[in-house]
Amino acid sequence: MTTHSRTVFFISDGTGITAETFGNAVLAQFEMKPRHVRLPFTDTVDKAHQAVRQINHTAELEGVRPIVFTTLANMDVLEVIETGCKGMLLDMFGTFVRPLEIELAVKSNHRIGRFSDVSKSKEYNDRIAAIDFSLQHDDGQSNRDLEGADVILVGVSRSGKTPTSLYLAMQHGLKAANYPLIPEDFDRRQLPPALIPHRKKIFGLTIQPERLSEIRNERRPNSRYASLENCRHEVSEAEAMMRRAGIRWLSTTTKSIEEIATTILQELRPERLVY
Amino acid sequence: MTTHSRTVFFISDGTGITAETFGNAVLAQFEMKPRHVRLPFTDTVDKAHQAVRQINHTAELEGVRPIVFTTLANMDVLEVIETGCKGMLLDMFGTFVRPLEIELAVKSNHRIGRFSDVSKSKEYNDRIAAIDFSLQHDDGQSNRDLEGADVILVGVSRSGKTPTSLYLAMQHGLKAANYPLIPEDFDRRQLPPALIPHRKKIFGLTIQPERLSEIRNERRPNSRYASLENCRHEVSEAEAMMRRAGIRWLSTTTKSIEEIATTILQELRPERLVY
């Protein structure tokens, strides 16, 4: 058996994002690179039979049984797959929903997916408004309505402000503005004036000069902007400024957007999200 | 027992995003609005003891045991929580990792989180490059390097192009451009000329005129732009144009960004992602 020839199926009656997020986290515990097959919107018995045929065909071709992660709220669909599929079934809902029914002393509602009609959801509309806000306040483009921001990220160019702001807006519905720290600020030895009234909401991103120079060189090879000397200077000025202003900050050098965002949320503890 | 007084904990030695995504999907099967408490980066025995104290304190206050979702790769941390915690423990890794160890005939590596040092990861750098690309190609801002796009979304203003493009970039690393369809295009009865060579990568978003008018009225109340009459006209022209050009499209009226993105991925089946 070679672990490379394994196929992993993710079957859901919704988008399958939960199945895949969770399945990937479980599979990350093993040294293998399986082939991924996604079967979202498997919400009818017909589609369930189709999925079973595809899984069993793969099992025959590969000579090992595929791994099948399911998040199915529709019991008819689940039954077809449980009965017919020759894969190793990891039924994520069944495993946890049944014990919870007992604990909570209520029946589950078998609702499909996390999203019902989003046009009627205030939470969803707030999320879209947050994305709009973050785009309009990207890279210091606008000082308007900074009072409305949940968080304002600052840092030198290419320290990770833009992707982090968009992630905070998209995944957590936070209005995240971001502001570059530039040589004029360093000369003045002060935060950009528009930010001073909002100091409590500011969070700084910094980065190792070597890594910053690498990233900037991809954009503008051999420029002064990307030179290690200039990166060292900017980072040291930015860190000194944040220290003087009493701003919390973290280094993004080895961190993913998700890790940066989680750390910021823990530090800022916005009222809307309980920590 | 009132279901409102339940608290749900999400404990992880990484960001906790997997624990929360999965826990929320499971909890969506029940009619309850529990309080959420996130405990990310619980990666030492000390922090585990702190978590146990917090959970047990909550159990006492509320008089029911909290629900505790864990994604812990660190066995020492897990053991502290298993031993001391008075909550209902739903150990997501243990439940599925052990059967997989048997199936795959290999031991799991107990790796913490999905992200190692991202500065060394090509996949991660590609994702950041995709976000940059999508921002630069938002709302038809640039025709440069459209050959490099994985997908080009088209549709009338406020049909959902921008958040969907950013989502495809952020979550799937796809270079997603987007282009508005505007009155000039309708008069010419043709797609924007820059797009014509890239027809295969184009995907259309449409929306019910009533919903579109609602969304536009939030931005520019009582404008001609937001009027139902104008929205009806633009949507009907845009749909006619997409039909003539043979472009695939979907209606975003009741769909979340996640549902729109999943549908687009299924239709376009970009080579990088197996479907």
Side-chain angles (χ1 to χ4, degrees):
Chain A
M1 185 199 78
T2 66
T3 49
H4 293 277
S5 65
R6 284 272 182 169
T7 299
V8 179
F9 287 87
F10 301 96
I11 310 183
S12 172
D13 31 29
T15 60
I17 292 168
T18 303
E20 201 172 358
T21 304
F22 180 63
N24 278 336
V26 169
L27 293 170
Q29 304 296 309
F30 296 93
E31 304 295 339
M32 62 187 294
K33 286 257 169 227
R35 193 171 72 105
H36 284 203
V37 180
R38 299 162 193 180
L39 302 175
F41 306 126
T42 304
D43 51 7
T44 65
V45 164
D46 267 9
K47 287 186 194 166
H49 282 296
Q50 240 175 285
V52 166
R53 275 194 298 275
Q54 196 176 340
I55 294 164
N56 293 352
H57 181 66
T58 304
E60 242 169 69
L61 280 183
E62 296 181 352
V64 284
R65 57 179 187 159
I67 294 156
V68 182
F69 286 98
T70 61
T71 50
L72 291 163
N74 182 324
M75 290 296 107
D76 299 332
V77 170
L78 180 59
E79 206 197 315
V80 170
I81 290 168
E82 273 180 341
T83 313
C85 141
K86 289 180 183 141
M88 178 195 196
L89 193 61
L90 298 169
D91 171 19
M92 294 156 59
F93 277 2
T95 306
F96 293 112
V97 169
R98 275 162 224 155
L100 271 172
E101 285 183 334
I102 296 165
E103 173 70 19
L104 300 173
V106 286
K107 280 270 161 209
S108 69
N109 57 23
H110 298 288
R111 185 193 298 158
I112 294 174
R114 285 174 293 163
F115 312 103
S116 45
D117 179 350
V118 298
S119 65
K120 297 186 186 79
S121 155
K122 183 179 176 316
E123 194 190 333
Y124 185 78
N125 289 335
D126 287 349
R127 214 176 131 204
I128 298 294
I131 296 171
D132 285 344
F133 183 96
S134 295
L135 277 174
Q136 282 155 22
H137 293 81
D138 182 37
D139 205 31
Q141 272 177 67
S142 168
N143 294 335
R144 277 189 54 197
D145 195 25
L146 278 179
E147 313 78 63
D150 292 303
V151 55
I152 303 169
L153 302 182
V154 299
V156 300
S157 160
R158 307 302 289 174
S159 55
K161 301 182 300 298
T162 295
T164 305
S165 303
L166 292 173
Y167 184 88
L168 286 168
M170 187 159 311
Q171 297 294 335
H172 297 281
L174 290 190
K175 292 183 173 168
N178 77 75
Y179 243 83
L181 296 180
I182 56 175
E184 285 79 342
D185 303 314
F186 304 142
D187 292 344
R188 250 197 350 260
R189 296 177 54 85
Q190 274 219 318
L191 286 175
L195 300 190
I196 294 179
H198 308 291
R199 194 173 313 184
K200 280 190 180 164
K201 294 192 286 199
I202 300 178
F203 198 97
L205 302 185
T206 191
I207 183 168
Q208 268 174 18
E210 293 73 17
R211 174 70 185 142
L212 181 62
S213 172
E214 235 176 77
I215 295 171
R216 288 184 173 185
N217 261 308
E218 272 169 41
R219 284 217 144 176
R220 297 200 221 150
N222 307 315
S223 60
R224 171 161 162 67
Y225 165 79
S227 72
L228 182 55
E229 193 200 343
N230 180 54
C231 290
R232 279 199 178 123
H233 172 72
E234 283 192 31
V235 167
S236 120
E237 290 283 342
E239 291 185 356
M241 178 179 289
M242 295 192 283
R243 206 172 289 120
R244 279 195 306 269
I247 289 171
R248 292 154 293 187
W249 42 285
L250 65 78
S251 170
T252 65
T253 311
T254 61
K255 288 196 171 64
S256 66
I257 308 174
E258 285 81 356
E259 290 166 324
I260 302 167
T262 301
T263 305
I264 292 171
L265 288 170
Q266 269 198 300
E267 286 285 328
L268 292 176
R269 297 175 184 256
E271 280 166 31
R272 271 193 268 157
L273 304 167
V274 182
Y275 260 88
Chain B
M1 184 199 79
T2 65
T3 49
H4 293 277
S5 65
R6 282 272 181 170
T7 298
V8 178
F9 287 87
F10 301 96
I11 309 181
S12 171
D13 32 28
T15 61
I17 293 167
T18 302
E20 201 171 358
T21 303
F22 180 64
N24 279 336
V26 168
L27 293 170
Q29 304 296 309
F30 296 93
E31 306 292 340
M32 63 187 291
K33 286 259 168 226
R35 193 171 72 104
H36 284 202
V37 180
R38 299 161 194 181
L39 302 174
F41 306 126
T42 304
D43 51 6
T44 65
V45 164
D46 266 8
K47 288 185 195 168
H49 282 296
Q50 240 176 285
V52 166
R53 275 193 298 275
Q54 195 176 342
I55 294 164
N56 293 351
H57 182 65
T58 304
E60 242 168 72
L61 280 182
E62 296 180 352
V64 285
R65 55 179 189 160
I67 293 156
V68 182
F69 287 99
T70 60
T71 50
L72 291 162
N74 182 325
M75 289 297 109
D76 300 331
V77 170
L78 179 60
E79 208 198 312
V80 170
I81 290 168
E82 274 179 342
T83 312
C85 142
K86 290 180 183 143
M88 179 194 196
L89 194 62
L90 298 169
D91 172 21
M92 296 156 59
F93 278 2
T95 307
F96 292 112
V97 169
R98 276 163 223 153
L100 271 171
E101 285 183 335
I102 296 164
E103 172 71 19
L104 301 172
V106 285
K107 279 271 160 206
S108 69
N109 57 24
H110 299 286
R111 186 194 298 159
I112 295 174
R114 287 173 293 163
F115 313 102
S116 43
D117 178 349
V118 299
S119 65
K120 297 187 186 79
S121 154
K122 185 181 175 315
E123 193 190 333
Y124 185 78
N125 289 333
D126 287 349
R127 213 177 132 205
I128 298 294
I131 297 171
D132 285 343
F133 183 96
S134 295
L135 276 174
Q136 282 154 23
H137 293 80
D138 182 38
D139 204 31
Q141 273 176 67
S142 169
N143 294 335
R144 279 187 54 198
D145 195 24
L146 280 179
E147 313 80 61
D150 292 303
V151 55
I152 303 170
L153 302 183
V154 299
V156 300
S157 161
R158 306 302 290 175
S159 55
K161 302 182 299 298
T162 295
T164 305
S165 303
L166 291 173
Y167 185 88
L168 286 167
M170 189 162 307
Q171 297 296 334
H172 296 281
L174 290 190
K175 292 181 174 170
N178 78 77
Y179 243 83
L181 297 179
I182 55 175
E184 286 80 341
D185 304 314
F186 304 144
D187 293 345
R188 248 196 354 257
R189 295 175 56 82
Q190 274 218 318
L191 285 175
L195 301 189
I196 294 179
H198 308 290
R199 196 171 313 185
K200 280 190 182 165
K201 292 191 287 199
I202 299 179
F203 198 97
L205 301 185
T206 191
I207 183 168
Q208 269 175 16
E210 292 73 17
R211 174 71 184 140
L212 181 61
S213 172
E214 235 175 76
I215 295 171
R216 287 185 174 183
N217 262 309
E218 272 169 42
R219 282 214 147 178
R220 296 201 221 151
N222 306 314
S223 60
R224 172 161 162 66
Y225 165 78
S227 72
L228 183 54
E229 193 201 343
N230 180 55
C231 289
R232 278 200 179 120
H233 172 73
E234 284 192 30
V235 167
S236 121
E237 289 283 341
E239 290 185 357
M241 178 179 290
M242 293 192 285
R243 207 174 287 117
R244 280 196 306 271
I247 287 172
R248 293 155 293 187
W249 43 284
L250 65 79
S251 168
T252 65
T253 311
T254 60
K255 288 196 171 65
S256 67
I257 309 173
E258 286 81 355
E259 289 166 323
I260 303 167
T262 302
T263 306
I264 293 171
L265 288 170
Q266 269 198 302
E267 285 286 328
L268 292 176
R269 296 175 186 259
E271 279 166 32
R272 270 192 266 155
L273 303 167
V274 181
Y275 260 86

